[in-house]
Amino acid sequence: MIGGGPAGLSAATWLGRYQRSTVVVDAGEHRNRFSEAAHGLLGSDPISPHTLLAEARAGLAQYPHVRLVSGTVTGVERTPDGTFRAEIDGEQITVQRIVLATGVRDRIPELVGITEHYALDVHHCPACDGFTIRGQEIIVLGAGDGVPAFAAELLDWAVRVRIVTDSSHPAVDAVQRTALDEHGMEVVDGVAEALIGEPGALQGVRLADGTLVPGSAVFFSYAHDPSSSIAAQLGCELDHEGRVEVNGFQLSSVEGVYAAGDLTPGLQLVPIAIGKGTAAGVACATSLRGHSTAAPAPDPAPPTRRFATGGNS
């Protein structure tokens, strides 16, 4: 298991329940580690990301064949016998299956005050944090032709949305500007330079020319880079955004390699990452049925036998 965020820990939980010997390698660089809360989890809404992961790790203690390792996987290769050799901070282990849950990295804007404001009144996910800013005036910072659609998501909650786009690298064309105008969304050309106001009490964004764009929250969308270098090493098929293509069982194009969470196509939300991790964990575990896993785990159950009546043993 490479990655110990919600998807990775979810997969590890189910591998543990199937009594598969599992090593979870976690570098601790989870995408929402700066966020105050994760939302939309049934029965735990809201919950801090730290608490969510701490409780998930504590839950793994009941599965003696699951081991958590702090570190970084620097390389993985397939061996001639069909297993995989992974290098973890200079040490090598051999495994029969791999679950990739390495997530994505958000490109954070270079603004004065960004560190203090991030996760309080600066966010990167409309679906995650839109409800918390309902009724406010919102500023969207971004680059690329997907920014208008990103900003339009916030209309479900915001009373006003303004897009700040660097005019030297235009992200909004004339057709898009017309559509935005029809929705009452203003486009301000300029370079965002600094956040104005105290953390949690944002007043707006100051541009390089001194203009103050008013707003009480900022959302940004510059780039969301999948951490897919290990997947690429293994030869997994990637989509046009660099995410790992998987089937309904979270199996990649490489036999024995599964992927889950934000690293795969689809909505990037914690509840969905957990669900994908569950699917990957169960599929990975059952793929080992009839094959012994690494010591000291017991041998998995033998393959299900189908009787002439069509029933399963």
Side-chain angles (χ1 to χ4, degrees), residues 215-274:
S216 52
V218 167
F219 283 75
F220 65 87
S221 179
Y222 287 93
H224 315 283
D225 303 318
S227 300
S228 54
S229 60
I230 298 296
Q233 284 183 32
L234 291 167
C236 298
E237 183 179 345
L238 308 178
D239 69 7
H240 67 286
E241 294 184 354
R243 298 172 298 184
V244 180
E245 295 278 15
V246 293
N247 65 12
F249 298 98
Q250 303 301 127
L251 178 64
S252 76
S253 60
V254 176
E255 189 64 33
V257 179
Y258 298 80
D262 293 351
L263 184 63
T264 61
L267 289 173
Q268 297 180 350
L269 297 170
V270 170
I272 291 176
I274 292 172

Coordinates of all heavy atoms in Angstrom, one line a residue, residues 215-274:
G215 N -13.6 40.7 -1.2 CA -14.1 39.3 -1.1 C -13.8 38.8 0.3 O -12.7 39.2 0.9
S216 N -14.6 37.9 0.8 CA -14.3 37.3 2.1 C -13.8 35.9 2.1 O -13.5 35.3 3.1 CB -15.6 37.4 3.0 OG -16.7 36.8 2.3
A217 N -13.6 35.4 0.9 CA -13.0 34.1 0.7 C -12.4 33.9 -0.7 O -12.9 34.6 -1.6 CB -14.0 32.9 1.0
V218 N -11.4 33.1 -0.8 CA -10.7 32.9 -2.0 C -10.7 31.4 -2.3 O -10.5 30.6 -1.5 CB -9.3 33.4 -2.0 CG1 -8.5 32.9 -3.2 CG2 -9.3 35.0 -2.0
F219 N -11.0 31.1 -3.6 CA -10.8 29.7 -4.1 C -9.8 29.8 -5.2 O -9.9 30.7 -6.0 CB -12.1 29.1 -4.6 CG -13.0 28.6 -3.5 CD1 -13.7 29.6 -2.7 CD2 -13.2 27.3 -3.2 CE1 -14.5 29.1 -1.7 CE2 -14.0 26.9 -2.2 CZ -14.7 27.8 -1.4
F220 N -8.9 28.8 -5.3 CA -7.9 28.8 -6.4 C -7.9 27.5 -7.2 O -8.2 26.5 -6.6 CB -6.5 29.2 -5.9 CG -6.0 28.1 -4.9 CD1 -5.2 27.1 -5.4 CD2 -6.1 28.2 -3.6 CE1 -4.7 26.1 -4.6 CE2 -5.6 27.3 -2.7 CZ -4.9 26.2 -3.2
S221 N -7.5 27.6 -8.5 CA -7.4 26.5 -9.3 C -6.3 26.8 -10.3 O -6.6 27.4 -11.4 CB -8.7 26.1 -10.0 OG -8.6 25.0 -10.8
Y222 N -5.1 26.3 -10.1 CA -4.0 26.5 -11.0 C -3.6 25.1 -11.6 O -3.6 25.0 -12.8 CB -2.8 27.1 -10.3 CG -3.0 28.6 -10.0 CD1 -3.6 29.0 -8.8 CD2 -2.8 29.6 -11.0 CE1 -3.8 30.3 -8.5 CE2 -3.0 30.9 -10.7 CZ -3.5 31.3 -9.5 OH -3.7 32.6 -9.2
A223 N -3.3 24.2 -10.8 CA -3.0 22.8 -11.3 C -3.2 21.9 -10.1 O -3.0 22.2 -9.0 CB -1.6 22.8 -11.8
H224 N -3.6 20.7 -10.5 CA -3.8 19.6 -9.5 C -3.0 18.4 -10.1 O -3.5 17.6 -10.9 CB -5.2 19.3 -9.3 CG -6.1 20.5 -9.2 ND1 -6.1 21.2 -8.0 CD2 -6.9 21.2 -10.0 CE1 -6.9 22.3 -8.2 NE2 -7.4 22.3 -9.4
D225 N -1.8 18.2 -9.7 CA -0.9 17.3 -10.3 C -1.0 15.9 -9.6 O -0.6 15.8 -8.4 CB 0.6 17.8 -10.2 CG 0.7 19.1 -10.9 OD1 0.1 19.3 -12.0 OD2 1.4 20.0 -10.3
P226 N -1.4 14.9 -10.4 CA -1.4 13.5 -9.8 C 0.0 13.1 -9.4 O 0.9 13.3 -10.2 CB -2.0 12.7 -10.9 CG -2.7 13.6 -11.8 CD -1.9 14.9 -11.7
S227 N 0.1 12.4 -8.3 CA 1.4 11.9 -7.9 C 1.5 10.5 -8.5 O 1.4 9.4 -7.8 CB 1.5 11.8 -6.3 OG 1.4 13.1 -5.8
S228 N 1.8 10.4 -9.8 CA 1.7 9.2 -10.5 C 3.0 8.6 -11.0 O 3.1 7.8 -11.9 CB 0.7 9.4 -11.7 OG 1.1 10.5 -12.5
S229 N 4.1 9.1 -10.4 CA 5.4 8.6 -10.9 C 5.6 7.1 -10.7 O 6.2 6.5 -11.6 CB 6.5 9.4 -10.2 OG 6.5 9.2 -8.8
I230 N 5.1 6.6 -9.6 CA 5.3 5.1 -9.4 C 4.4 4.4 -10.3 O 4.8 3.4 -10.9 CB 4.9 4.8 -7.9 CG1 5.8 5.4 -6.9 CG2 4.9 3.3 -7.7 CD1 7.3 5.0 -7.0
A231 N 3.2 4.9 -10.6 CA 2.3 4.3 -11.6 C 2.9 4.3 -13.0 O 2.9 3.3 -13.7 CB 1.0 5.0 -11.6
A232 N 3.6 5.4 -13.3 CA 4.3 5.4 -14.6 C 5.4 4.4 -14.7 O 5.7 3.8 -15.7 CB 4.8 6.8 -14.8
Q233 N 6.2 4.3 -13.6 CA 7.3 3.3 -13.5 C 6.7 1.9 -13.8 O 7.4 1.1 -14.5 CB 7.9 3.3 -12.1 CG 8.9 4.5 -11.9 CD 9.6 4.3 -10.5 OE1 9.8 3.2 -10.0 NE2 9.8 5.5 -9.9
L234 N 5.6 1.6 -13.3 CA 5.0 0.3 -13.4 C 4.3 0.1 -14.8 O 3.9 -1.1 -15.1 CB 4.0 0.0 -12.3 CG 4.6 -0.1 -10.9 CD1 3.5 0.0 -9.8 CD2 5.3 -1.4 -10.8
G235 N 4.2 1.1 -15.5 CA 3.6 1.0 -16.9 C 2.1 1.1 -16.9 O 1.4 0.7 -17.8
C236 N 1.5 1.7 -15.8 CA 0.0 1.8 -15.7 C -0.5 2.8 -16.7 O 0.2 3.9 -17.0 CB -0.4 2.3 -14.3 SG 0.0 1.2 -13.0
E237 N -1.6 2.6 -17.3 CA -2.2 3.5 -18.3 C -2.7 4.7 -17.5 O -3.4 4.6 -16.5 CB -3.3 2.8 -19.0 CG -4.0 3.7 -20.1 CD -5.1 3.0 -20.9 OE1 -5.2 1.8 -20.8 OE2 -5.9 3.7 -21.5
L238 N -2.4 5.9 -18.0 CA -2.8 7.2 -17.4 C -3.7 7.9 -18.4 O -3.6 7.8 -19.6 CB -1.6 8.0 -17.1 CG -0.4 7.4 -16.3 CD1 0.7 8.4 -16.1 CD2 -0.9 6.9 -14.9
D239 N -4.6 8.7 -17.8 CA -5.5 9.5 -18.7 C -4.8 10.8 -19.1 O -3.6 11.0 -18.7 CB -6.8 9.8 -18.0 CG -6.8 10.7 -16.8 OD1 -5.7 11.3 -16.5 OD2 -7.8 10.9 -16.1
H240 N -5.5 11.7 -19.8 CA -4.8 12.9 -20.3 C -4.4 13.9 -19.2 O -3.6 14.8 -19.4 CB -5.8 13.7 -21.2 CG -7.0 14.2 -20.5 ND1 -8.0 13.5 -20.1 CD2 -7.3 15.5 -20.2 CE1 -9.0 14.2 -19.6 NE2 -8.5 15.5 -19.6
E241 N -4.9 13.7 -17.9 CA -4.5 14.5 -16.8 C -3.4 13.8 -15.9 O -3.0 14.3 -14.9 CB -5.7 14.9 -16.0 CG -6.7 15.8 -16.7 CD -7.8 16.2 -15.9 OE1 -7.9 15.7 -14.7 OE2 -8.6 17.1 -16.3
G242 N -3.0 12.6 -16.3 CA -2.0 11.9 -15.6 C -2.5 11.0 -14.4 O -1.8 10.5 -13.6
R243 N -3.9 10.8 -14.4 CA -4.5 10.0 -13.4 C -4.5 8.5 -13.9 O -4.5 8.3 -15.1 CB -5.9 10.5 -13.0 CG -5.9 11.9 -12.5 CD -7.3 12.4 -12.4 NE -8.0 12.5 -13.7 CZ -9.2 13.0 -13.8 NH1 -9.8 13.5 -12.8 NH2 -9.7 13.1 -15.0
V244 N -4.5 7.6 -12.9 CA -4.4 6.2 -13.2 C -5.8 5.7 -13.7 O -6.8 5.8 -12.9 CB -3.9 5.4 -12.0 CG1 -3.8 3.9 -12.4 CG2 -2.5 5.9 -11.6
E245 N -5.8 5.1 -14.9 CA -7.1 4.5 -15.3 C -7.3 3.2 -14.6 O -6.4 2.4 -14.5 CB -7.0 4.2 -16.8 CG -6.9 5.5 -17.7 CD -8.2 6.1 -17.9 OE1 -9.2 5.8 -17.2 OE2 -8.3 7.0 -18.8
V246 N -8.5 3.0 -14.1 CA -8.9 1.7 -13.4 C -10.2 1.2 -13.9 O -11.0 1.9 -14.5 CB -8.9 2.0 -11.9 CG1 -7.6 2.3 -11.3 CG2 -9.9 3.1 -11.5
N247 N -10.5 -0.1 -13.6 CA -11.8 -0.6 -13.9 C -12.7 -0.5 -12.7 O -12.3 0.1 -11.7 CB -11.6 -2.1 -14.4 CG -11.1 -3.0 -13.3 OD1 -11.0 -2.7 -12.2 ND2 -10.7 -4.2 -13.8
G248 N -13.8 -1.2 -12.7 CA -14.8 -1.1 -11.6 C -14.3 -1.7 -10.3 O -14.8 -1.4 -9.2
F249 N -13.2 -2.5 -10.3 CA -12.6 -3.0 -9.1 C -11.3 -2.3 -8.7 O -10.5 -2.8 -7.9 CB -12.3 -4.5 -9.3 CG -13.5 -5.3 -9.6 CD1 -13.9 -5.7 -10.9 CD2 -14.3 -5.7 -8.6 CE1 -15.0 -6.4 -11.2 CE2 -15.5 -6.5 -8.8 CZ -15.8 -6.8 -10.1
Q250 N -11.1 -1.1 -9.3 CA -9.9 -0.2 -9.0 C -8.6 -0.9 -9.5 O -7.6 -0.5 -9.1 CB -9.8 0.1 -7.6 CG -11.1 0.8 -7.0 CD -11.4 2.1 -7.7 OE1 -12.5 2.4 -8.1 NE2 -10.4 3.0 -7.8
L251 N -8.7 -1.9 -10.4 CA -7.5 -2.5 -11.0 C -7.0 -1.7 -12.2 O -7.8 -1.3 -13.1 CB -7.9 -3.9 -11.5 CG -6.7 -4.7 -12.1 CD1 -5.6 -5.0 -11.1 CD2 -7.3 -6.0 -12.7
S252 N -5.7 -1.4 -12.2 CA -5.1 -0.6 -13.2 C -4.9 -1.5 -14.5 O -5.3 -2.7 -14.5 CB -3.8 0.0 -12.8 OG -2.8 -1.0 -12.7
S253 N -4.3 -1.0 -15.5 CA -4.0 -1.8 -16.7 C -2.9 -2.8 -16.4 O -2.6 -3.6 -17.3 CB -3.6 -0.8 -17.8 OG -2.4 -0.1 -17.5
V254 N -2.2 -2.7 -15.3 CA -1.1 -3.6 -14.9 C -1.7 -4.6 -13.9 O -2.1 -4.2 -12.9 CB 0.1 -2.9 -14.3 CG1 1.2 -3.9 -13.9 CG2 0.7 -1.9 -15.4
E255 N -1.6 -5.9 -14.3 CA -2.1 -6.9 -13.4 C -1.4 -6.9 -12.0 O -0.2 -6.8 -11.9 CB -1.9 -8.3 -14.0 CG -2.6 -9.4 -13.3 CD -4.1 -9.3 -13.3 OE1 -4.7 -8.8 -14.3 OE2 -4.8 -9.7 -12.3
G256 N -2.3 -6.9 -11.0 CA -1.7 -6.8 -9.6 C -1.5 -5.5 -9.1 O -1.1 -5.3 -7.9
V257 N -1.8 -4.4 -9.8 CA -1.6 -3.0 -9.4 C -3.0 -2.4 -9.3 O -3.7 -2.2 -10.4 CB -0.7 -2.2 -10.2 CG1 -0.5 -0.8 -9.7 CG2 0.7 -2.9 -10.3
Y258 N -3.4 -1.9 -8.2 CA -4.7 -1.3 -7.9 C -4.4 0.2 -7.6 O -3.3 0.6 -7.2 CB -5.5 -1.9 -6.8 CG -5.8 -3.4 -7.1 CD1 -4.9 -4.4 -6.9 CD2 -7.1 -3.7 -7.5 CE1 -5.2 -5.7 -7.2 CE2 -7.4 -5.1 -7.8 CZ -6.4 -6.0 -7.6 OH -6.7 -7.3 -7.9
A259 N -5.4 1.0 -7.8 CA -5.3 2.5 -7.5 C -6.6 3.0 -7.0 O -7.7 2.5 -7.4 CB -4.8 3.3 -8.7
A260 N -6.5 3.9 -6.1 CA -7.7 4.5 -5.4 C -7.5 5.9 -5.0 O -6.4 6.4 -5.0 CB -8.1 3.6 -4.2
G261 N -8.7 6.6 -4.8 CA -8.6 8.0 -4.3 C -8.4 9.0 -5.4 O -8.7 8.7 -6.6
D262 N -7.9 10.1 -5.1 CA -7.8 11.2 -6.1 C -6.8 10.9 -7.2 O -6.8 11.6 -8.2 CB -7.3 12.5 -5.3 CG -8.3 13.1 -4.4 OD1 -9.5 12.6 -4.4 OD2 -8.0 14.0 -3.6
L263 N -6.0 9.9 -7.0 CA -5.1 9.5 -8.1 C -5.8 8.9 -9.3 O -5.3 8.8 -10.4 CB -4.1 8.4 -7.6 CG -3.0 7.9 -8.5 CD1 -2.1 9.1 -8.9 CD2 -2.2 6.8 -7.8
T264 N -7.1 8.5 -9.1 CA -7.9 8.0 -10.2 C -8.9 9.0 -10.7 O -9.2 9.9 -10.0 CB -8.6 6.7 -9.7 OG1 -9.5 7.0 -8.6 CG2 -7.6 5.7 -9.2
P265 N -9.5 8.8 -11.9 CA -10.4 9.7 -12.5 C -11.7 9.8 -11.6 O -12.1 8.8 -10.9 CB -10.7 9.2 -13.8 CG -9.5 8.4 -14.2 CD -9.1 7.8 -12.9
G266 N -12.4 10.9 -11.7 CA -13.6 11.1 -10.9 C -13.6 12.2 -9.9 O -12.6 12.9 -9.8
L267 N -14.7 12.3 -9.2 CA -14.8 13.4 -8.2 C -13.7 13.2 -7.1 O -13.5 12.1 -6.7 CB -16.2 13.4 -7.5 CG -17.3 13.8 -8.4 CD1 -18.7 13.6 -7.7 CD2 -17.2 15.3 -8.7
Q268 N -13.1 14.3 -6.7 CA -12.1 14.2 -5.7 C -12.6 14.7 -4.3 O -12.5 15.9 -3.9 CB -10.9 15.1 -6.1 CG -10.3 14.5 -7.4 CD -9.1 15.3 -7.9 OE1 -8.8 16.4 -7.4 NE2 -8.4 14.8 -8.9
L269 N -13.3 13.8 -3.6 CA -13.9 14.1 -2.3 C -13.5 13.0 -1.3 O -13.3 11.8 -1.7 CB -15.4 14.1 -2.4 CG -16.0 15.2 -3.3 CD1 -17.5 15.0 -3.5 CD2 -15.7 16.6 -2.7
V270 N -13.3 13.3 -0.1 CA -12.9 12.3 0.9 C -13.8 11.1 1.0 O -13.4 10.0 1.0 CB -12.7 13.0 2.3 CG1 -12.5 11.9 3.4 CG2 -11.6 13.9 2.3
P271 N -15.2 11.3 1.0 CA -16.1 10.1 1.1 C -15.9 9.2 -0.1 O -15.9 8.0 0.0 CB -17.5 10.7 1.1 CG -17.3 12.1 1.6 CD -16.0 12.6 1.1
I272 N -15.6 9.8 -1.3 CA -15.4 9.0 -2.5 C -14.1 8.3 -2.5 O -14.0 7.1 -2.9 CB -15.6 9.9 -3.8 CG1 -17.0 10.3 -3.9 CG2 -15.1 9.1 -5.0 CD1 -17.3 11.2 -5.0
A273 N -13.1 9.0 -2.0 CA -11.8 8.3 -1.8 C -11.9 7.1 -0.9 O -11.3 6.1 -1.2 CB -10.7 9.3 -1.3
I274 N -12.6 7.2 0.2 CA -12.8 6.1 1.1 C -13.5 5.0 0.4 O -13.1 3.8 0.6 CB -13.6 6.6 2.4 CG1 -12.7 7.6 3.2 CG2 -14.0 5.4 3.2 CD1 -13.5 8.2 4.3

